[in-house]
Amino acid sequence: MSQSTGTRPLAIVTGASTGIGRELATCCVDGGFDLIVVADEPEIHVAASELGAHDVHVEAVQADLATLEGVDKVVAAANGRPVSALLANAGRALGHAFLDQDFAAARKVLDTNVTGTIYLIYQVGRQMRARGEGRILITGSIAGFMPGSFQAVYNGTKAFLDSFSYALRNELKETNVSVTCLMPGATETDIFERADMLDTKIGSQKKDDPADVARQGYEAMMRGDGQIVTGLKSKFQAAMAHVIPADMLAEMHRGMAAPGTAPSAEQSRK
Ligand SMILES: NC(=O)c1ccc[n+]([C@@H]2O[C@H](COP(=O)([O-])OP(=O)(O)OC[C@H]3O[C@@H](n4cnc5c(N)ncnc54)[C@H](OP(=O)(O)O)[C@@H]3O)[C@@H](O)[C@H]2O)c1
């Protein structure tokens, strides 16, 4: 980890140990930000030392963002230094039918994706509004446009974030604080394995590259755009979701996310 010069702007990236968040953190390093990177597991320290090899100051915070105390720890780590960019990306998914899920695990999805995310945005966003500048990137999802059969809680949290992002952006339109919603489609990360969805069609199919997704999200945030749906297939799915009836979308989601929908090796070869 190199020393901070104090002259670079500061970005906070949550969920920066793996996947899209790790790539968002790389984009921030390339863009000349000092960083606070956050995740729940000790791997965040490894990510921080790799990112800090690029002559920016990177601080790792290991905190459970499903708790208010975890979020407070992140805010405290900034130590009063102005946050120029908040990339609120940490999130988790959970497969299987809702009534078959462990309720504590379902609640953790809600607490991480919704409560922890908006509490962090609340705290950092108020500081940005008081200073009159800042950038907020929220990782929502095109999943927020579809009732997520066999991933019902997750899709609900993403519908919340997609909607919240537009609303907050509107509330801040007379300030120089921008709010951007990054809405990826299926992206090649650990999230499906963690959600126990490797035996599903969506979990096993070819997916978008997290580096491409993150770069598009980062660039949209730097432009101050309201939203970015990444990938051609995702753009098509998002457009279709606006015209297809909800019960049909739920049935289509079943085909992607129900356990046992992964194609067999023979089907995949065809
Ligand atoms: N992959 C996709 O297809 C896809 C599509 C649309 C949107 N997204 C969204 O993209 C974001 C990143 O997911 P990903 O696909 O990159 O998955 P990932 O590789 O599993 O990364 C998730 C990150 O969030 C962190 N995290 C999860 N729960 C946390 C908690 N309670 N406290 C602190 N950190 C926590 C993880 O850290 P730990 O390992 O330390 O818990 C990890 O760094 C999520 O918001 C997800 O919903 C993903």
Side-chain angles (χ1 to χ4, degrees), residues 14-22 38-44 62-67 88-93 108 111-113 139-143 154 157-158 161 182-192 194 202 207 210:
T14 69
S17 57
T18 57
I20 297 168
R22 178 70 168 78
V38 191
D40 195 20
E41 303 291 335
E43 281 70 22
I44 193 61
Q62 190 181 340
D64 182 359
L65 296 174
T67 67
N89 164 83
R92 52 206 309 136
K108 182 116 187 180
D111 290 346
T112 304
N113 298 8
T139 306
S141 174
I142 65 163
Y154 174 77
T157 65
K158 292 294 160 175
L161 288 179
L182 167 59
M183 290 184 274
T187 305
E188 201 60 63
T189 72
D190 297 343
I191 199 166
F192 297 97
R194 290 175 178 174
I202 195 169
K207 295 185 261 304

Side-chain angles (χ1 to χ4, degrees), residues 35 48 56 75-76 101 123 181 221:
L35 277 180
V56 293
V75 175
Q101 290 174 344
Q123 300 218 53
C181 191
M221 177 189 78

Side-chain angles (χ1 to χ4, degrees), residues 14-15 20-21 24 87-94 106 108-115 117-118 121 137-148 151-166 181-186 189 191-192 253:
T14 69
I20 297 168
L24 284 170
L87 294 85
N89 164 83
R92 52 206 309 136
L94 189 63
K108 182 116 187 180
V109 173
L110 268 173
D111 290 346
T112 304
N113 298 8
V114 176
T115 311
T117 298
I118 68 166
I121 292 170
L137 181 75
I138 299 173
T139 306
S141 174
I142 65 163
F145 301 146
M146 308 166 207
Q151 215 182 359
V153 173
Y154 174 77
N155 283 39
T157 65
K158 292 294 160 175
F160 179 102
L161 288 179
D162 293 351
S163 165
F164 176 82
S165 182
Y166 280 110
C181 191
L182 167 59
M183 290 184 274
T189 72
I191 199 166
F192 297 97
H253 204 278

